[in-house]
Amino acid sequence: MIYRSKAPLRIGLAGGGTDVSPYSDLYGGAILNATISLYARASIEPLTNGKVIFESADRKEQRSYDAVYPLPLDGQLDILKGVINRVQQDYGNLPATGFKLTTYVDAPPGSGLGTSSTLVVAVLGAFAEWLKLPLGEYDMAHLAYSIEREDLQQAGGKQDQYAATFGGVNFMEFYKGDKVIVNPLRIKEVYLHELENNLVLFYTSTSRLSSSIISEQQKNVTDKNDDSIAAMHHLKEQAVMMKEALLRGTIDKIGEILNYGFEYKKQMAKGITNSKLDEIYDAARRAGASGGKISGAGGGGFMIFYCPKNTRFAVVDALSHFGGDVKRYHFTQHGIQTWSI
């Protein structure tokens, strides 16, 4: 048998950064995101040779270890080993006979689409399928968050794990004590079609280490940096503005809402943007985009631009001069999916 899973990556549309502690603990956070047809995938094949074999197909990495748990965190594919160690710790079901874990992510690391967290959810899903783990949606998302933030000590927020698990367009609320409320939005299909048509997803051909930006953002809250905290308050308001625009169908306001959030996001921490990203943003605006943002923590990766009417063609042409790549996608309604064959 082979046990498989796939979990969707996400576009963050509003509120990015307010899901990160300690801001969410002190003030409450709000984010609006949507999952897209780019995925993290995982497959598990049971073995009989007493080995745990990792194959990260997109990164072209392969590692082999004895099936003795916990597996060593040695800097080689630790995010995968972190999942395995936690599954063994919490459920104790992993066989000494071993298995092979193959993974693939449709976007590169550091792209700002939540790749790492989505991969954790996908791997958890494959193990849940194989070992029949009793994980509901909230359970799986919280466990994925706990593995990344507590076990592996990787800085970051909470939205990506919940987006990958639930799927669709969601307004998410974040509170102290790791309390998360996922509110699925019932958006008319015609509005989603228009948003999909007008929202350009552009890969800048650069990646970044989001943890350094997020760590500074966290420090700014701890140190009571008034400008940074005020910027996060505005981003939380942006999430509500985005929700109303999508539900009411005032789709062409979305560019303005994106631009509003981007101006405040740059005040949260250093390194969110740079001269190249600013140049790309300005070129897209001159070509007709009414607004946009850097996806994820910032510093590189993907950018999104809202292009009203039929301006997307001129915007795509303007972006082509920067050597990146416009990525085609569709919005998806499903979160993590698992199966065996």
Side-chain angles (χ1 to χ4, degrees):
M1 295 283 286
I2 299 179
Y3 304 89
R4 301 194 193 276
S5 70
K6 67 174 185 177
L9 304 182
R10 61 98 186 102
I11 294 176
L13 292 173
T18 67
D19 60 324
V20 178
S21 298
Y23 179 86
S24 59
D25 303 326
L26 295 171
Y27 306 103
I31 275 184
L32 196 148
N33 58 34
T35 52
I36 58 175
S37 55
L38 300 174
Y39 296 90
R41 307 167 192 272
S43 296
I44 296 174
E45 301 171 73
L47 301 176
T48 57
N49 61 359
K51 295 290 184 181
V52 175
I53 299 173
F54 297 98
E55 183 176 2
S56 176
D58 55 308
R59 298 167 65 107
K60 296 181 171 55
E61 289 185 47
Q62 191 170 66
R63 296 286 184 274
S64 178
Y65 299 85
D66 291 330
V68 178
Y69 311 103
L71 297 173
L73 300 178
D74 55 7
Q76 305 295 326
L77 302 176
D78 281 354
I79 197 165
L80 304 182
K81 287 181 279 187
V83 178
I84 291 166
N85 290 344
R86 185 61 175 271
V87 168
Q88 177 65 13
Q89 173 189 306
D90 288 3
Y91 301 100
N93 290 336
L94 294 180
T97 50
F99 57 90
K100 180 179 181 181
L101 172 62
T102 303
T103 59
Y104 190 93
V105 184
D106 290 340
S111 62
L113 300 180
T115 51
S116 296
S117 300
T118 306
L119 178 59
V120 171
V121 171
V123 174
L124 271 177
F127 277 107
E129 177 73 17
W130 180 25
L131 303 174
K132 309 304 179 191
L133 303 182
L135 292 173
E137 291 171 322
Y138 278 99
D139 301 322
M140 182 173 291
H142 183 265
L143 180 56
Y145 170 80
S146 179
I147 290 168
E148 279 192 277
R149 307 293 174 244
E150 297 168 9
D151 298 355
L152 298 175
Q153 290 293 297
Q154 296 183 353
K158 303 180 180 74
Q159 68 157 316
D160 298 341
Q161 299 87 351
Y162 287 83
T165 303
F166 282 82
V169 182
N170 293 295
F171 180 81
M172 300 182 181
E173 302 169 82
F174 305 90
Y175 302 100
K176 65 180 180 180
D178 289 334
K179 179 182 177 182
V180 180
I181 300 174
V182 178
N183 304 282
L185 300 184
R186 296 180 60 185
I187 301 170
K188 289 185 178 180
E189 194 171 357
V190 65
Y191 300 159
L192 280 179
H193 285 324
E194 186 66 7
L195 179 61
E196 188 178 286
N197 181 80
N198 294 355
L199 202 63
V200 171
L201 180 62
F202 177 68
Y203 183 55
T204 63
S205 295
T206 62
S207 63
R208 82 286 183 268
L209 188 62
S210 63
S211 58
S212 60
I213 297 173
I214 292 169
S215 294
E216 182 184 344
Q217 176 188 322
Q218 292 173 309
K219 185 176 185 298
N220 285 340
V221 176
T222 302
D223 293 348
K224 295 181 169 57
N225 182 311
D226 290 340
D227 290 342
S228 182
I229 292 171
M232 295 181 206
H233 290 341
H234 283 291
L235 283 163
K236 187 165 61 173
E237 293 172 8
Q238 183 208 20
V240 176
M241 294 161 60
M242 186 68 71
K243 178 177 71 169
E244 291 179 356
L246 287 171
L247 291 174
R248 291 176 179 272
T250 53
I251 303 301
D252 278 351
K253 286 186 178 180
I254 286 175
E256 301 168 25
I257 297 170
L258 287 172
N259 188 64
Y260 171 90
F262 185 48
E263 291 302 318
Y264 282 109
K265 187 176 181 69
K266 290 186 285 188
Q267 300 176 30
M268 285 167 46
K270 296 176 183 176
I272 286 175
T273 189
N274 55 49
S275 58
K276 179 183 179 181
L277 299 178
D278 287 341
E279 188 180 357
I280 293 171
Y281 191 83
D282 292 342
R285 292 292 302 275
R286 287 194 301 269
S290 54
K293 68 185 289 285
I294 298 169
S295 190
F302 279 91
M303 301 180 75
I304 59 174
F305 300 99
Y306 186 83
C307 308
K309 311 302 180 187
N310 287 315
T311 58
R312 69 169 288 122
F313 307 107
V315 171
V316 168
D317 183 63
L319 294 174
S320 68
H321 299 290
F322 293 95
D325 179 44
V326 172
K327 196 80 170 180
R328 299 296 297 181
Y329 69 93
H330 300 290
F331 290 120
T332 63
Q333 297 302 317
H334 295 287
I336 178 75
Q337 294 176 286
T338 69
W339 67 97
S340 56
I341 191 168

